[in-house]
Amino acid sequence: MLASAARLFPVLAALVLGMAGCGKEGAGTAPRSADSRTQPIVIKFPHVTAAATPKGQTADRFKQLAEARFPGRVTVEVYPSAQLMSDSDSLEALAFGEIQMIAVSLSLFDRLTQKFQVFDLPFLFPDLAAVERFQHSPDGQRLLASITDKGIRGLTFWHNGMKQLTGPRPLRVPEDARGLKFRVMESDILQAQIQAVGGSPQKMDFGEVYQALQTGTVDAQENTWSNIFSSKFYEVQPFISESNHGYIGYLVAVNPDFWKGLPEDVRTGLEAALAEATEWGNARAEAVNQEAKQNVVASQRSEIITLNADELARWREVMQPVWKQFEAAIGPDLIAAAQAAGNP
Ligand code: LMR
């Protein structure tokens, strides 16, 4: 596993191998069960959104539940708002055992498997219920373990919500996006989606987006209501089009060696705590986003554009050719399964 992680993440590999040479415990080292009876098991869990978002709240809930089950034995250190590291860095840090848990946007896993790109196909999922049906299906569940050999063991999926388009002018039809610089996550599909509407995509870490919008490094972006509100994008984006054109959700994952090395009772207990937190968080993600939308409306800083059926059809028509472009890489069967979840 370390060898494959080293191929994928060469910079960190150099650091880690250097560390191993100094006689320290190697990264990815599982805790010894004897020690775990006397020393607390620490789970470092960084993420990039604010604590008030669906992800922030669910991570805090998991911490509460896990620590209540194992008082003094398990400590979960949640670091919100990219205060510890960016999403990209956290993928490397997890694979090398520098941190133990992540909840990173599904869009960022395309560097490890193209199958996850199914979640980024524009207008594939009509709503969170459809996403949830797909994630619970055998195809969705198989994705969880699909990158374990790369040092990342998926345990479950968390929702954020559906994406909206924000910009410096009203974006009613795709032509309105022409020539605008859009920040996108590190995802080739999202890049292609913006190119399809005539915009210029710029991949960027979440933690840099507010400033990039404020200073004009980028003009526009796509995100969920909860991220638009909690990261204050609405303060620097005068127009928000309610397009619901894509999904943001997370793979909650652990370092596989760390997880395997946990005492059996702790691993089982943490799995139960995670299942409980997941059910709680996913059930309220939509409400958290709607509340964030109301807060944006109340702020009167951005005008919210409601798209009519014809306008939505235009976005769909222009973005959908991206599906064909990525079909072979993702797998037509997986796309069909995801689509079927939208039409139960
Ligand atoms: C983004 O980068 O826009 C999102 O993935 C952030 C997040 O974690 O919701």
Side-chain angles (χ1 to χ4, degrees):
M1 190 276 292
L2 197 60
S4 58
R7 264 198 312 282
L8 285 156
F9 305 119
V11 175
L12 201 73
L15 286 170
V16 168
L17 295 175
M19 234 174 67
C22 296
K24 292 194 184 167
E25 279 196 359
T29 308
R32 275 160 297 172
S33 12
D35 288 355
S36 68
R37 288 184 212 294
T38 47
Q39 287 171 13
I41 295 165
V42 177
I43 298 180
K44 280 195 169 44
F45 185 0
H47 68 85
V48 300
T49 61
T53 56
K55 175 163 59 181
Q57 293 187 24
T58 314
D60 288 346
R61 184 79 166 193
F62 169 69
K63 170 186 167 67
Q64 246 174 31
L65 293 169
E67 291 179 353
R69 261 175 197 263
F70 299 106
R73 218 172 148 205
V74 171
T75 304
V76 182
E77 296 177 358
V78 178
Y79 301 92
S81 304
Q83 61 183 239
L84 195 61
M85 60 183 74
S86 69
D87 272 337
S88 300
D89 289 347
S90 76
L91 289 176
E92 295 195 23
L94 188 80
F96 284 98
E98 303 286 294
I99 56 173
Q100 289 68 41
M101 198 160 182
I102 56 169
V104 167
S105 174
L106 294 161
S107 312
L108 271 80
F109 290 90
D110 67 351
R111 65 194 79 178
L112 300 174
T113 168
Q114 294 196 286
K115 290 190 188 320
F116 276 74
Q117 291 183 313
V118 70
F119 291 106
D120 275 342
L121 290 175
F123 292 103
L124 174 57
F125 297 107
D127 50 32
L128 294 189
V131 178
E132 189 137 334
R133 280 191 293 274
F134 173 64
Q135 290 175 343
H136 284 151
S137 73
D139 288 295
Q141 289 296 300
R142 259 194 300 279
L143 288 176
L144 290 175
S146 63
I147 48 174
T148 304
D149 62 334
K150 312 221 160 82
I152 296 177
R153 171 75 174 94
L155 296 180
T156 192
F157 297 108
W158 286 353
H159 295 318
N160 184 332
M162 304 306 284
K163 287 184 288 190
Q164 322 302 339
L165 294 163
T166 75
R169 57 186 188 231
L171 302 173
R172 291 184 198 282
V173 289
E175 290 70 24
D176 296 330
R178 249 183 223 155
L180 292 181
K181 285 178 282 175
F182 273 81
R183 177 270 173 173
V184 290
M185 287 184 266
E186 294 263 352
S187 148
D188 289 349
I189 290 209
L190 300 180
Q191 190 174 34
Q193 171 200 270
I194 295 303
Q195 281 160 348
V197 301
S200 153
Q202 312 228 346
K203 292 179 175 177
M204 187 182 287
D205 281 330
F206 186 67
E208 293 165 24
V209 179
Y210 178 86
Q211 209 185 354
L213 290 168
Q214 190 184 35
T215 56
T217 307
V218 292
D219 307 305
Q221 64 92 47
E222 50 168 14
N223 231 306
T224 61
W225 285 115
S226 60
N227 282 346
I228 292 168
F229 177 66
S230 62
S231 289
K232 303 193 186 327
F233 299 160
Y234 69 99
E235 289 183 355
V236 285
Q237 292 279 267
F239 297 95
I240 305 176
S241 296
E242 197 160 24
S243 52
N244 292 310
H245 63 282
Y247 167 73
I248 294 186
Y250 310 104
L251 182 71
V252 182
V254 287
N255 176 284
D257 288 348
F258 165 75
W259 203 243
K260 266 198 308 243
L262 288 173
E264 179 78 30
D265 64 320
V266 173
R267 189 173 51 248
T268 314
L270 290 178
E271 277 164 4
L274 183 62
E276 191 178 334
T278 299
E279 203 178 322
W280 177 88
N282 283 353
R284 60 205 308 280
E286 177 62 20
V288 175
N289 275 295
Q290 287 310 314
E291 194 183 317
K293 176 184 167 185
Q294 291 319 318
N295 289 334
V296 173
V297 172
S299 77
Q300 300 188 342
R301 296 286 289 265
S302 305
E303 185 181 327
I304 295 175
I305 317 271
T306 306
L307 303 175
N308 65 33
D310 288 346
E311 289 163 345
L312 271 173
R314 288 284 300 123
W315 288 100
R316 180 190 286 267
E317 189 188 341
V318 173
M319 286 180 170
Q320 210 154 354
V322 167
W323 289 30
K324 265 269 157 284
Q325 219 176 313
F326 288 86
E327 184 181 85
I330 297 170
D333 293 351
L334 195 61
I335 298 177
Q339 239 181 328
N343 306 294

